[in-house]
Amino acid sequence: METKTKNGFKAVEYMRQVRNELSMLLQTDKKRFHDELKQTMADFIANRQKAIPPSLESRE
């Protein structure tokens, strides 16, 4: 499986790195982990709402 792009970015290595960092954070500071997770979800939902055109909001 080829994961490299033209700029050398490797998605699988990035995902492993993020998983390892989050795992270490969870083991060392559970409160900070949960706070960051909640903030990330709030940011995701806010960005998603911005991306939905007003005409489609009423359909949800």
Side-chain angles (χ1 to χ4, degrees):
M1 176 168 72
E2 185 66 32
T3 59
K4 261 190 173 179
T5 60
K6 292 179 184 178
N7 63 2
F9 176 77
K10 292 186 177 183
V12 173
E13 287 180 17
Y14 174 76
M15 290 185 294
R16 285 183 185 138
Q17 177 186 352
V18 170
R19 183 188 65 212
N20 289 337
E21 290 173 2
L22 290 174
S23 180
M24 290 297 295
L25 181 60
L26 179 61
Q27 292 173 9
T28 58
D29 190 351
K30 288 183 171 60
K31 179 169 178 12
R32 182 173 164 222
F33 174 83
H34 288 289
D35 290 344
E36 287 190 21
L37 183 61
K38 286 179 188 176
Q39 184 60 47
T40 300
M41 288 302 296
D43 292 345
F44 172 77
I45 291 170
N47 285 334
R48 186 171 166 230
Q49 290 299 324
K50 288 180 192 174
I52 298 174
S55 61
L56 295 179
E57 282 183 5
S58 59
R59 294 183 187 177
E60 289 186 358

